Amino acid sequence: MAFEGLSDRLQDIFKKLRGKGKIGEEDVKTAMREVRLALLEADVNFKVVKDFVERVRQRAVGQEVLQSLTPGQQIIKVVHDEMTALMGGSESKLNLAAKPPSIYMLVGLQGAGKTTTVAKLGRNLLKQGRRPVLVAGDIYRPAAIKQLQVLGEQVGIPVFSMGQSNPVDIARASLEYARSQNRDIVILDTAGRLHINEELMDELKQIKSAINPHEILLVVDAMTGQDAVNVAESFNRDLGLTGVILTKLDGDTRGGAALSVKAVTGCPIKYVGMGEKLDALETFFPDRMASRILGMGDILSLVEKAQANIDQEKAREMERKIRKQEFTLEDFLEQMQQVRSMGPLDELLGMIPGIGKQMKGFKGEFDEREILRIEAIIKSMTLQERRDTSIINGSRKKRIARGSGTKVQEVNRLLKQFEESRKLMKQFADLGGKKGKRGGMPPIRFPF
Amino acid sequence: MAFFDRFKFKKKDKENEEIPWEKEAEPGEESPEEEPRETLGAEENGSEEAASPSLAGENGHSSIFDRFKTKKENGRAEEKEQAQPADDVEAVEREEDAYEKEVNGKKTKWGFLDKLKKGLSKTRENTIGKIEALVKSSKKLDDDFWEELEEILIQADVGVNTTIELVDNIKKAAKKQKMHDSSEVLELIKDEIRKLLEYNNVPLNIPQGELAVILVVGVNGAGKTTSIAKLAYRFHEEGKKVLLGAADTFRAAAIDQLNIWADRVGVEIIKHQEGSDPGAVVFDAIHASRARHADILIIDTAGRLQNKANLMKEISKIKNIIQREIPEAPHEVLLVLDATTGQNAISQAKIFEEATGVTGLILSKLDGTAKGGIILAVEKELKIPVKLVGIGEGLEDLRDFSPQIFTEALFACNGGD
């Protein structure tokens, strides 16, 4: 998970502050020095760090913070506010043309992830009921056109291509195509290029003036170092960017580029790439990202994901079962499948406040294939066995293991895990019961 | 295994450090700046052009590679080779310039140093330009000076830890030598950076007379496929029979991309369908290489972020398959690092090293990045040698990483271009 390292460092720094009843200017200064180092190590641009630290320091030594009852908390709030502001305040949506088609052009360095992002963005818009067309404008890299065609097929969106012709002509012709095919969004892929390559930058300018795109989006690799701002500045100067898409944010990069690019170019980050799968493109929410970086979790995103993926009725039924301890392996399987539909587990865990860091030991252990194995084991049981695990004896275990292609030990492990999670759920249920039903965010009512 | 590989390197490096570099340092230090400038100047005048063909002989383009051969033949006595004094560097440059001209025929556009210089010009403007400006502007060695030096290095992606250590070393050395003037410090900075890069004088491990397997790994978009094409071109030019294994079965059209390169370079490729098991591709590629008596097999793998545990397991498995087929293979596991990457490069190097026992780095896209600083951080933390650098889009734009040339090019004066 991106930002992990950064958020660890910052949390440690703030933990020291939080414990203190009184905070002096000296404490703030020490903390800010550490914040500065943490940000620098996270590849946040040097100048951005300087400004950021100075702004936080000034606000932090102000009256409202130091004289409040919880100065430590207040400082974190200040950092959170400033970080949100740094990343652009609130989410920023794509511009739509008054008269379709809306034209989006993706630009960036080689290997930033433009082609993949074109397909992801297309899929995203398709899901919103739009009718996009993808345009293969990367005529230089071998098989780039083929790549987009394959991806287009995977997401079910037509791809417009004209082989190796002039990119400007391709761009122009694609508009005609979109109009004739009644497509309302054109997403143009371009070849990766260096920001210092004048010839190729000129080509982009020509494309821009030929088709007047409504969005020119810079695709930036989240792992980029201090150079990110130079790249962004150059592209912005030459083309006038309207936004940024940050890719590969699912890596373990500290993601400082995210914090810098907006600050330097003023262009908001509109989307982030969170995985190799074509549905792994998310809207970027600066405030939520700031929460995640500071280890405050991102409950909002989690709830949204849950709502989008989990059947409310089923969830209520599940909750009842947990409370009454009627929770069986069958339910376990079903629940697991639902949670899985929400996205990779470690990503979900990172969104839960306070969990992100504690779960660190498990990171990387969440093997999606492990879940498949568990599924196989449960499915190899009879209905009876699923409902009452106590009847599973040695010979049954052997049969289950054979049926699922696993070993008896693995069956044992699963049974043990299930027992434990049942216990855990009972605890949760008891807790929730005592406190009453006040949590207003179904279906997840676990009192974290 | 991985642990052992690494140990071997450290040992080798130590030997290098103790014997050859001491010797080399002397002549190198006398005129560290002048050497490359001289060569460059000569070349611009055109006089170098006349000199180089005679130097390189009839097949001038193979001369750098001859150097490898001799090294390999000498086997363990490779230190001897390295112990040659630094004026050898100049000869290498000339050889490589010759190489450039021979290969490109009429396109005698860039000499090696020119190219590297061009690629690094941004680095120099931003980093070294700043260092020189700093050195010239503030005369006194006060806290401000050191702080500013730190800032410059951090902005070059050198990383906080490496920077602090580097600056501390320079500080101490300056104190010891009773320096008060900041201009003297420039030499010290160069020395420190050169020291960090000393680990890099390790050539590619290509055994003679048997199949050499090179596994290429890295994160998505680092430039693996392109680097492989360049590497294949290089070996192909050298007269070796090269085979490519298209084990990136995941990314859309990755196989086609490698296939196009293979056609352009004129080498054979072993491929399966998209989505098939990369391990099977590797297995087939090894058997095909044997059957066809290939000298070198280069295996392309799918890009993967290092924190994806499953994918890292997969790459370990691929390595194990190679090892099972040929116990001493892969002879090289090359990690491609994008030179624009920030501190994450360290994590990449660490985790890929654990999973596959990386034996060398390819630093790609060095023509675009403004900073070469990440190398210093990676070298300090991991001591994995940078073996090759990508300095342009052409097939011939993959070069040996020479710390000597690199450092000199890095510090060459801006007035030159």
Side-chain angles (χ1 to χ4, degrees):
Chain A
M1 184 64 207
F3 296 116
E4 203 174 277
L6 179 58
S7 91
D8 283 357
R9 286 278 307 255
L10 291 177
Q11 284 176 55
D12 284 345
I13 296 166
F14 293 131
K15 211 191 268 163
K16 283 183 215 153
L17 279 183
R18 207 178 284 145
K20 293 193 175 175
K22 239 184 165 179
I23 292 181
E25 272 192 42
E26 205 43 49
D27 294 320
V28 174
K29 225 176 148 185
T30 318
M32 284 306 122
R33 198 176 303 135
E34 284 179 54
V35 168
R36 177 175 167 267
L37 287 179
L39 292 175
L40 282 177
E41 267 182 60
D43 291 323
V44 182
N45 181 262
F46 191 81
K47 290 178 203 127
V48 177
V49 172
K50 234 177 176 175
D51 291 352
F52 177 80
V53 167
E54 184 50 30
R55 267 203 310 279
V56 173
R57 199 191 58 79
Q58 269 176 10
R59 278 184 65 184
V61 295
Q63 296 293 321
E64 49 159 344
V65 173
L66 292 189
Q67 288 181 5
S68 71
L69 285 173
T70 52
Q73 299 282 12
Q74 286 293 325
I75 288 184
I76 297 173
K77 188 179 171 293
V78 171
V79 173
H80 183 262
D81 288 353
E82 288 294 335
M83 209 172 249
T84 307
L86 196 65
M87 289 188 290
S90 58
E91 72 193 272
S92 149
K93 296 207 164 87
L94 291 177
N95 287 319
L96 286 171
K99 203 177 133 220
S102 307
I103 306 160
Y104 304 149
M105 174 175 166
L106 270 62
V107 299
L109 298 181
Q110 291 97 336
K114 285 174 297 303
T115 307
T116 309
T117 306
V118 165
K120 284 180 178 176
L121 187 60
R123 186 190 176 279
N124 196 307
L125 293 166
L126 186 72
K127 286 256 155 174
Q128 293 172 26
R130 304 268 163 203
R131 290 167 51 78
V133 56
L134 313 181
V135 182
D138 181 355
I139 58 162
Y140 301 104
R141 183 165 57 97
I145 296 171
K146 177 85 189 292
Q147 185 185 355
L148 194 63
Q149 283 166 342
V150 172
L151 292 173
E153 204 165 298
Q154 281 172 15
V155 293
I157 300 174
V159 174
F160 178 82
S161 65
M162 276 169 52
Q164 318 280 324
S165 6
N166 183 327
V168 183
D169 296 340
I170 296 177
R172 259 199 218 106
S174 73
L175 297 194
E176 288 307 309
Y177 174 86
R179 284 189 195 109
S180 70
Q181 299 292 312
N182 201 16
R183 293 268 145 191
D184 59 1
I185 289 176
V186 175
I187 309 175
L188 175 66
D189 187 20
T190 62
R193 65 203 72 212
L194 291 171
H195 52 294
I196 49 172
N197 185 330
E198 281 168 30
E199 206 178 306
L200 286 176
M201 291 303 283
D202 271 346
E203 184 190 281
L204 285 183
K205 283 186 215 164
Q206 283 169 28
I207 296 176
K208 183 191 172 183
S209 58
I211 61 170
N212 277 321
H214 302 90
E215 291 273 359
I216 301 180
L217 300 166
L218 178 69
V219 180
V220 182
D221 185 334
M223 296 181 283
T224 315
Q226 299 278 330
D227 204 30
V229 297
N230 299 341
V231 173
E233 267 176 339
S234 294
F235 272 97
N236 192 30
R237 197 179 47 235
D238 288 352
L239 297 169
L241 301 173
T242 60
V244 173
I245 298 179
L246 213 58
T247 60
K248 306 180 208 171
L249 206 61
D250 53 326
D252 65 358
T253 169
R254 296 182 183 179
L259 294 167
S260 317
V261 169
K262 162 68 178 67
V264 172
T265 60
C267 297
I269 298 165
K270 300 208 170 180
Y271 287 97
V272 289
M274 296 296 292
E276 291 185 338
K277 291 187 187 132
L278 291 169
D279 58 356
L281 186 76
E282 296 177 4
T283 311
F284 182 75
F285 297 95
D287 46 341
R288 296 184 192 178
M289 193 55 87
S291 298
R292 243 192 259 188
I293 293 175
L294 296 177
M296 294 154 84
D298 182 6
I299 261 304
L300 274 175
S301 294
L302 188 62
V303 170
E304 268 174 19
K305 280 205 173 207
Q307 276 169 344
N309 290 289
I310 291 179
D311 184 336
Q312 299 277 333
E313 270 310 304
K314 276 188 187 167
R316 227 160 276 144
E317 172 66 13
M318 193 74 77
E319 198 185 330
R320 193 188 58 79
K321 281 185 174 169
I322 292 173
R323 272 187 218 292
K324 301 228 161 125
Q325 291 192 58
E326 289 166 6
F327 192 68
T328 64
L329 266 176
E330 236 179 336
D331 303 321
F332 184 65
L333 180 66
E334 195 179 310
Q335 205 189 26
M336 215 165 53
Q337 282 164 341
Q338 279 200 348
V339 171
R340 239 182 88 205
S341 66
M342 286 166 62
L345 269 180
D346 46 355
E347 190 186 303
L348 295 180
L349 286 166
M351 292 180 189
I352 302 173
I355 290 269
K357 215 184 155 191
Q358 277 141 28
M359 294 304 254
K360 216 184 155 195
F362 292 142
K363 284 278 161 67
E365 300 292 315
F366 286 112
D367 194 332
E368 300 278 323
R369 272 180 299 189
E370 182 71 23
I371 294 177
L372 286 179
R373 224 168 288 143
I374 291 174
E375 256 185 55
I377 295 175
I378 296 178
K379 282 181 177 161
S380 301
M381 294 177 183
T382 64
L383 274 183
Q384 248 180 333
E385 286 166 345
R386 291 186 213 176
R387 283 180 190 146
D388 181 10
T389 51
S390 62
I391 61 166
I392 301 179
N393 58 20
S395 83
R396 279 175 192 261
K397 278 179 193 165
K398 260 188 216 158
R399 195 203 72 242
I400 293 166
R402 256 205 320 276
S404 56
T406 53
K407 290 184 189 128
V408 174
Q409 288 96 310
E410 282 177 85
V411 178
N412 276 332
R413 204 185 312 141
L414 172 67
L415 291 174
K416 212 173 148 195
Q417 270 172 3
F418 175 66
E419 263 325 299
E420 271 167 19
S421 63
R422 232 159 85 135
K423 267 186 219 152
L424 203 69
M425 280 176 190
K426 185 175 177 301
Q427 283 173 356
F428 278 148
D430 288 352
L431 254 173
K434 268 178 220 153
K435 283 188 182 166
K437 287 188 177 182
R438 49 167 196 153
M441 12 175 244
I444 295 183
R445 237 173 252 177
F446 292 154
F448 285 112
Chain B
M1 265 330 278
F3 176 77
F4 265 113
D5 284 349
R6 209 154 139 195
F7 181 65
K8 260 192 273 172
F9 270 112
K10 277 190 185 150
K11 218 176 138 197
K12 220 190 262 174
D13 292 334
K14 239 179 210 159
E15 283 166 12
N16 290 350
E17 217 175 315
E18 280 160 13
I19 318 154
W21 280 95
E22 289 291 309
K23 283 181 192 169
E24 199 166 353
E26 284 169 35
E29 221 150 42
E30 277 169 30
S31 54
E33 276 167 304
E34 277 151 32
E35 271 170 26
R37 245 192 262 156
E38 244 172 43
T39 325
L40 277 170
E43 193 187 89
E44 276 153 24
N45 293 337
S47 64
E48 190 69 14
E49 234 160 310
S52 47
S54 62
L55 234 166
E58 274 176 15
N59 47 353
H61 62 270
S62 66
S63 50
I64 0 168
F65 306 111
D66 285 339
R67 256 163 55 92
F68 289 143
K69 281 185 209 156
T70 20
K71 267 181 204 178
K72 280 302 128 203
E73 278 155 18
N74 288 349
R76 295 261 157 195
E78 97 188 52
E79 293 94 0
K80 263 191 209 164
E81 179 82 17
Q82 290 187 351
Q84 280 183 10
D87 55 11
D88 189 44
V89 171
E90 207 179 329
V92 174
E93 281 160 18
R94 247 182 265 133
E95 279 172 18
E96 296 196 8
D97 288 339
Y99 160 70
E100 196 43 58
K101 273 149 204 158
E102 284 284 328
V103 168
N104 291 349
K106 282 162 204 163
K107 280 189 277 171
T108 52
K109 247 180 162 177
W110 299 104
F112 173 54
L113 254 184
D114 261 348
K115 194 115 194 178
L116 192 55
K117 244 187 98 178
K118 195 181 165 232
L120 290 171
S121 67
K122 275 235 131 190
T123 319
R124 276 183 292 116
E125 273 162 34
N126 284 350
T127 317
I128 306 309
K130 273 184 209 153
I131 290 180
E132 279 173 354
L134 167 69
V135 164
K136 274 170 197 152
S137 67
S138 67
K139 283 283 164 198
K140 272 199 303 187
L141 293 181
D142 50 14
D143 281 354
D144 284 349
F145 172 83
W146 295 119
E147 211 167 279
E148 224 168 302
L149 183 58
E150 266 177 23
E151 286 180 10
I152 291 166
L153 291 170
I154 285 172
Q155 274 185 284
D157 281 327
V158 173
V160 176
N161 292 336
T162 315
T163 297
I164 291 175
E165 202 184 303
L166 210 57
V167 171
D168 273 354
N169 286 348
I170 297 167
K171 239 191 226 176
K172 268 183 215 147
K175 216 173 192 177
K176 210 171 159 192
Q177 297 174 35
K178 300 214 166 62
M179 285 181 185
H180 300 291
D181 193 337
S182 55
S183 61
E184 293 169 305
V185 174
L186 183 64
E187 274 310 306
L188 277 179
I189 301 171
K190 277 193 205 173
D191 277 351
E192 279 301 321
I193 291 177
R194 227 182 267 132
K195 251 187 231 166
L196 267 179
L197 293 174
E198 270 173 15
Y199 293 97
N200 287 286
N201 231 1
V202 188
L204 284 173
N205 172 25
I206 305 295
Q208 290 288 304
E210 57 179 301
L211 176 65
V213 182
I214 300 175
L215 180 65
V216 180
V217 299
V219 298
N220 315 60
K224 285 176 297 300
T225 309
T226 312
S227 296
I228 287 169
K230 291 175 183 173
L231 201 56
Y233 171 80
R234 177 182 165 151
F235 288 129
H236 183 68
E237 286 296 303
E238 202 181 327
K240 295 233 157 82
K241 186 171 166 62
V242 182
L243 217 72
L244 303 183
D248 180 356
T249 56
F250 178 78
R251 207 201 65 198
I255 298 170
D256 299 84
Q257 190 181 347
L258 193 68
N259 205 359
I260 292 172
W261 280 121
D263 288 345
R264 280 190 200 167
V265 176
V267 297
E268 289 173 68
I269 179 171
I270 301 298
K271 58 184 180 184
H272 286 189
Q273 292 271 307
E274 205 165 293
S276 57
D277 175 21
V281 179
V282 169
F283 183 87
D284 279 0
I286 290 176
H287 285 264
S289 303
R290 279 183 174 148
R292 301 181 197 180
H293 302 289
D295 299 308
I296 293 169
L297 168 65
I298 311 174
I299 295 167
D300 187 18
T301 61
R304 62 202 74 222
L305 296 179
Q306 70 276 16
N307 63 334
K308 306 277 180 244
N310 308 338
L311 296 179
M312 294 313 284
K313 269 185 217 158
E314 183 192 83
I315 197 88
S316 300
K317 189 184 139 200
I318 289 176
K319 193 198 170 190
N320 290 341
I321 291 172
I322 299 172
Q323 229 157 19
R324 202 178 57 211
E325 294 306 310
I326 306 172
E328 58 273 20
H331 300 83
E332 287 282 1
V333 179
L334 298 176
L335 170 67
V336 182
L337 284 183
D338 181 338
T340 34
T341 309
Q343 302 309 303
N344 192 249
I346 298 169
S347 159
Q348 290 174 24
K350 251 182 209 160
I351 300 176
F352 271 102
E353 143 73 23
E354 278 163 23
T356 60
V358 175
T359 60
L361 304 176
I362 298 180
L363 196 65
S364 65
K365 308 184 200 173
L366 201 59
D367 50 331
T369 178
K371 337 272 154 124
I374 191 60
I375 314 177
L376 302 185
V378 172
E379 287 318 291
K380 188 188 147 280
E381 306 256 336
L382 292 153
K383 313 255 186 289
I384 303 173
V386 183
K387 295 203 169 173
L388 299 158
V389 290
I391 53 170
E393 302 226 41
L395 272 172
E396 69 282 2
D397 292 333
L398 184 76
R399 302 302 167 86
D400 285 334
F401 180 83
S402 153
Q404 197 72 13
I405 297 176
F406 184 84
T407 313
E408 293 309 333
L410 206 64
F411 282 99
C413 192
N414 281 337
D417 34 326

